[in-house]
Amino acid sequence: MNLDSQFRVAQGMCRQLAGVLAAIVARLSSHRQLILSRMVDVVRANRCVLCHGRGHHDCLCVACSADLPWLTSACQRCARPLSTPAEQCSDCADAPPPWQRAQALFTFRFPIDRLVAALKYHSRLVLADYFGQRLADCIDPDALPDVIVPVPIHGKRLRQRGYNQTLLLARIMAKRLQRPVAVHDLVRVRDTRMQKSLHADERRANLVGAFIWHGPPLHHQHVLLVDDVLTSGATAEAISQCLLAAGAQRVDLVVIARTLA
Ligand SMILES: [Zn+2]
Ligand SMILES: [Zn+2]
């Protein structure tokens, strides 16, 4: 058997092993899921998650990465896609959000919607590394935050899922930017699971008192809030108000994707 055939056999075995591990992961407790999903990611390493092409340093190949719906023109205040970039859109001029600046890597459409779901619900943790590195890239090195705060999930959901995807993103960004992460300081005290089905006003009402800052006062600090998707902005708004009340001077927001609405 020549080298190429041996490689193909080994590759087939790795693919089968990844499939078996993924099936096992689905039946385990959340903590074990997390450990095993990392093993699955290791086995799948060097394969693009979209085209399955092999031999890539990242989990997406250069071509698939370039084809993603990158958000290149947006309102700097709310990250809403615009035909030409602007400091603020008309909505932000009428009612400015409590944060200063919002940045999104992508518009929330295919295949980003699938990739975010894979990270969030299916333990594809290699995607946290891909997105986290690119979120770090978009931070102005001359205006680094004092602290990075991931949007927390409720304890009940954390126990079910085994991880908070925004904390994974925040940790990767923190390592790159050499900034601390507030891991436990912001707490989601109410599980607002039905948020998706609510209108913007209902979302805001649903989030009143949902977050509490338990950390030390944020005296005049510049806080960077990290979330996966920005839709109505109700969650980021509630958290920004909570952080400002805790003493923060400025809150900025970064997300993987911005919905088009
Ligand atoms: Zn690819
Ligand atoms: Zn705007």
Side-chain angles (χ1 to χ4, degrees):
M1 198 184 286
N2 64 27
L3 203 61
D4 196 42
S5 309
Q6 285 177 4
F7 179 79
R8 270 201 291 274
V9 169
Q11 193 184 33
M13 287 169 67
C14 282
R15 217 173 298 156
Q16 281 178 1
L17 180 57
V20 170
L21 282 172
I24 294 169
V25 163
R27 293 163 183 262
L28 292 175
S29 69
S30 55
H31 179 66
R32 287 176 179 169
Q33 269 187 17
L34 192 59
I35 295 168
L36 265 175
S37 66
R38 286 197 169 131
M39 289 168 64
V40 173
D41 284 342
V42 167
V43 172
R44 283 172 170 158
N46 298 333
R47 298 188 70 85
C48 171
V49 295
L50 288 176
C51 71
H52 307 296
R54 68 171 186 238
H56 303 289
H57 170 67
D58 255 328
C59 66
L60 270 88
C61 71
V62 174
C64 287
S65 186
D67 277 349
L68 292 175
W70 293 90
L71 180 53
T72 52
S73 178
C75 166
Q76 287 184 17
R77 196 75 197 257
C78 71
R80 176 168 299 144
L82 297 174
S83 52
T84 51
E87 271 184 30
Q88 57 181 4
C89 65
S90 54
D91 284 357
C92 288
D94 288 345
W99 63 80
Q100 283 300 307
R101 183 162 193 211
Q103 289 176 275
L105 294 174
F106 305 101
T107 52
F108 190 62
R109 58 186 171 85
F110 184 83
I112 285 297
D113 51 353
R114 307 288 169 86
L115 295 178
V116 169
L119 167 63
K120 203 166 169 174
Y121 304 114
H122 304 294
S123 307
R124 293 305 304 272
L125 305 185
V126 286
L127 289 164
D129 190 58
Y130 176 85
F131 290 132
Q133 297 293 350
R134 276 137 194 95
L135 286 170
D137 286 341
C138 73
I139 302 302
D140 179 356
D142 294 326
L144 291 176
D146 296 304
V147 62
I148 300 175
V149 176
V151 169
I153 55 176
H154 190 264
K156 193 170 84 183
R157 221 185 295 191
L158 183 61
R159 283 189 292 279
Q160 287 166 351
R161 198 179 296 169
Y163 62 95
N164 174 7
Q165 71 284 354
T166 64
L167 175 58
L168 300 178
L169 296 170
R171 283 193 198 279
I172 290 157
M173 294 182 71
K175 200 171 170 188
R176 272 276 306 281
L177 302 172
Q178 295 290 293
R179 283 295 187 264
V181 183
V183 178
H184 303 296
D185 294 340
L186 183 67
V187 180
R188 192 171 202 137
V189 289
R190 214 145 36 74
D191 188 10
T192 50
R193 188 182 285 263
M194 299 311 288
Q195 193 77 347
K196 251 184 189 174
S197 58
L198 302 175
H199 293 296
D201 287 348
E202 293 170 322
R203 284 182 178 215
R204 282 185 184 89
N206 193 36
L207 285 162
V208 171
F211 300 96
I212 293 179
W213 178 258
H214 280 309
L218 289 164
H219 293 310
H220 310 298
Q221 291 199 26
H222 174 190
V223 180
L224 180 66
L225 183 61
V226 182
D227 204 356
D228 44 25
V229 180
L230 178 59
T231 305
S232 70
T235 301
E237 215 174 283
I239 294 176
S240 297
Q241 279 156 355
C242 175
L243 296 170
L244 292 167
Q249 185 184 47
R250 169 187 177 133
V251 178
D252 287 341
L253 171 65
V254 284
V255 296
I256 295 172
R258 179 70 157 101
T259 57
L260 296 170

